[in-house]
Amino acid sequence: MKSEFNVKIVDDTHIQIGGRIDSSNALDFEESLKQFIVQDFDFLTIDAERLSYISSAGLRVLMKLRSKARNTITIENMPEPVNQIFEMTGFSQLFKVRKGFRHVSVEGCPVIGVGFFGTVYRLDPDTIVKVYHPSVNISQIENEQKMAKAAFLKGIPTAISYDIVKVGDSYGSVFELLKAVSFNDMVIQHPDQIDDIVRKWCDILKVVHSTYMEPSVMPSAKKSYFQYLEAVRAYLDEPQYQFLYQYLEKIPERLSVIHGDFQMKNVMLSDNEPMLIDMETLATGHPIFDFAGIYVAYIAFEEDEPGNMQRFLGISADTASYIFEKLMEYYLETTNPTLLTSEILKIRIVSAIRFLYIITMSDMRDSELSQKRIHTTKEHINEFMKHSETLNF
């Protein structure tokens, strides 16, 4: 009697295998993978989460796969019993093996923050978990951890994940943050201390921007913004596109670390020590790229959707605007309105690219609100173009 197994080909680089694979069904298993065995291929990831057993006959099929791979085959979510087979046979040295992850539930857990790539939950008083969107794969999470460690070793106060888990069909990174509270919650809980909180937030941002990273360790923020601009080009008039392109070219190249999403929900106070979370947007570049993200989070989203700040950050639009203005004063160390207005205008130009990218890449890009936001942003760009000669760095 044949053992039961299953193979699901997700796409040309990703398959899922499950059940029991032995001599009774090894030929059928090989036939199900025929498209990979008959010709060479570049990359392949095998999800083995539901694989209960594989015999030497099944391993021989995997060897045939390996012989056709131009790069190392990754086998992820490996159950411990199957991992032991790979260890005993030496197959763990022939493939890149990632053992299975423990499962964690976030049901009933309070939400700390919601970002572009996932949601952060508090599991218990000392632990948080960042649950990524299902589209985020393990390689992206490992790359985030790599960049976070690089930042940490440079002296940036960074929360380092000590475990990767499964939360439903998604992955999650677990962090130890003792008695942690976000700067956003601190503002909500202590509105009378807002100036002091913003100043401390600004001091952390300065630490980040005064840290320099070797080339190629992190992506270039400027290069990413050029990619954003290309992605939204269809929504722009040609003069608008050319203006934004030329403006990006003016921005000086730097190797300063950029967080990429430095809103107050992503800065925690843990045991009286500041700590950054949400590190997947780390990059290097001019500080204006961080301020563009902050402007979008605290100003742009509210403009055509009154109440957005209250829903997203739990604060009023006036409070959000005050936070941004205070941050600019503290960072630039001036209250000169002419200088502040000039610098904020530069930030707004870059933020228009980021905002359009976020809007047009979302599932809601065709909604009435998104269309209104696109129209408003284009009107702003037209106004920015009138000041192009005075916006040099």
Side-chain angles (χ1 to χ4, degrees):
M1 183 176 179
K2 288 186 178 182
S3 300
E4 294 293 329
F5 79 96
N6 57 79
V7 172
K8 179 181 179 182
I9 300 177
V10 180
D11 54 40
D12 291 341
T13 62
H14 192 182
I15 65 175
Q16 298 172 346
I17 62 175
R20 180 184 176 91
I21 301 171
D22 54 31
S23 58
S24 71
N25 59 18
L27 290 177
D28 294 332
F29 178 52
E30 181 176 343
E31 181 64 24
S32 68
L33 299 175
K34 187 175 180 179
Q35 71 180 73
F36 297 98
I37 294 176
V38 296
Q39 60 184 7
D40 295 346
F41 57 87
D42 289 316
F43 297 98
L44 183 64
T45 297
I46 301 173
D47 187 336
E49 183 175 13
R50 294 177 174 81
L51 183 64
S52 60
Y53 175 80
I54 187 167
S55 72
S56 58
L59 293 176
R60 283 194 291 272
V61 177
L62 294 183
M63 281 298 293
K64 290 183 179 181
L65 273 183
R66 183 177 179 273
S67 70
K68 293 294 185 179
R70 298 188 185 96
N71 298 282
T72 302
I73 295 176
T74 299
I75 304 179
E76 62 183 13
N77 297 326
M78 179 80 82
E80 184 55 33
V82 181
N83 186 64
Q84 291 177 8
I85 295 173
F86 270 65
E87 291 287 345
M88 288 188 295
T89 59
F91 267 59
S92 57
Q93 300 175 33
L94 303 176
F95 298 83
K96 183 177 181 180
V97 176
R98 298 190 182 106
K99 292 202 295 184
F101 304 98
R102 66 186 178 98
H103 287 257
V104 168
S105 172
V106 294
E107 185 177 357
C109 296
V111 175
I112 293 178
V114 180
F116 197 71
F117 291 96
T119 303
V120 180
Y121 298 86
R122 177 170 297 289
L123 290 177
D124 56 52
D126 296 338
T127 312
I128 68 171
V129 60
K130 177 181 176 181
V131 181
Y132 298 87
H133 298 315
S135 60
V136 177
N137 61 44
I138 195 69
S139 296
Q140 291 171 282
I141 298 172
E142 290 176 340
N143 185 61
E144 177 186 350
Q145 292 181 334
K146 178 182 177 181
M147 291 196 299
K149 289 177 182 177
F152 179 79
L153 292 174
K154 287 287 187 176
I156 295 176
T158 305
I160 302 296
S161 170
Y162 67 85
D163 195 13
I164 297 177
V165 298
K166 287 298 291 289
V167 184
D169 293 328
S170 302
Y171 291 105
S173 289
V174 181
F175 303 84
E176 182 181 49
L177 287 174
L178 301 174
K179 303 174 184 177
V181 59
S182 72
F183 273 54
N184 188 78
D185 286 342
M186 290 165 60
V187 166
I188 295 172
Q189 296 166 10
H190 307 285
D192 57 316
Q193 300 176 25
I194 189 169
D195 285 11
D196 184 51
I197 295 168
V198 174
R199 184 176 289 279
K200 290 178 180 177
W201 184 47
C202 177
D203 290 343
I204 301 166
L205 185 59
K206 286 188 173 184
V207 169
V208 175
H209 292 168
S210 64
T211 303
Y212 292 84
M213 193 63 62
E214 294 77 10
S216 77
V217 174
M218 295 177 180
S220 161
K222 185 173 180 176
K223 183 177 179 180
S224 295
Y225 269 75
F226 271 118
Q227 292 171 346
Y228 298 163
L229 181 58
E230 288 304 316
V232 304
R233 184 170 187 171
Y235 296 88
L236 297 168
D237 300 330
E238 187 61 19
Q240 294 173 329
Y241 168 81
Q242 292 298 332
F243 166 73
L244 294 174
Y245 187 95
Q246 291 167 16
Y247 188 75
L248 282 179
E249 285 191 320
K250 290 182 181 180
I251 300 175
E253 298 281 2
R254 288 194 186 177
L255 289 173
S256 303
V257 175
I258 302 298
H259 182 272
D261 191 15
F262 199 80
Q263 45 133 319
M264 282 187 165
K265 282 192 172 185
N266 288 335
V267 186
M268 311 291 291
L269 194 66
S270 175
D271 210 18
N272 292 319
E273 293 290 333
M275 199 73 66
L276 297 179
I277 61 173
D278 255 14
M279 308 297 283
E280 74 272 356
T281 52
L282 281 176
T284 55
H286 192 283
I288 195 170
F289 294 113
D290 256 339
F291 281 99
I294 296 168
Y295 185 89
V296 168
Y298 285 83
I299 307 296
F301 270 110
E302 177 78 19
E303 184 173 10
D304 286 319
E305 187 187 13
N308 179 281
M309 288 299 100
Q310 191 65 53
R311 288 189 292 275
F312 182 64
L313 296 176
I315 59 178
S316 69
D318 288 343
T319 299
S321 180
Y322 182 83
I323 288 172
F324 181 79
E325 291 168 4
K326 276 295 174 184
L327 175 65
M328 293 299 302
E329 290 179 10
Y330 292 151
Y331 192 93
L332 297 175
E333 299 179 358
T334 183
T335 56
N336 183 310
T338 302
L339 177 59
L340 289 169
T341 299
S342 173
E343 294 305 303
I344 290 174
L345 181 57
K346 296 176 185 178
I347 291 167
R348 291 181 65 195
I349 296 173
V350 182
S351 73
I353 300 172
R354 181 184 179 99
F355 195 44
L356 280 175
Y357 180 77
I358 293 173
I359 296 167
T360 57
M361 291 300 107
S362 76
D363 294 336
M364 302 296 291
R365 60 181 172 273
D366 296 323
S367 69
E368 183 178 345
L369 174 59
S370 292
Q371 292 302 307
K372 185 176 182 180
R373 282 173 164 162
I374 292 170
H375 177 75
T376 300
T377 304
K378 291 180 66 174
E379 287 188 332
H380 289 323
I381 294 171
N382 288 334
E383 288 298 315
F384 302 152
M385 291 169 67
K386 299 175 182 178
H387 302 277
S388 60
E389 299 303 319
T390 62
L391 293 173
N392 293 320
F393 283 84

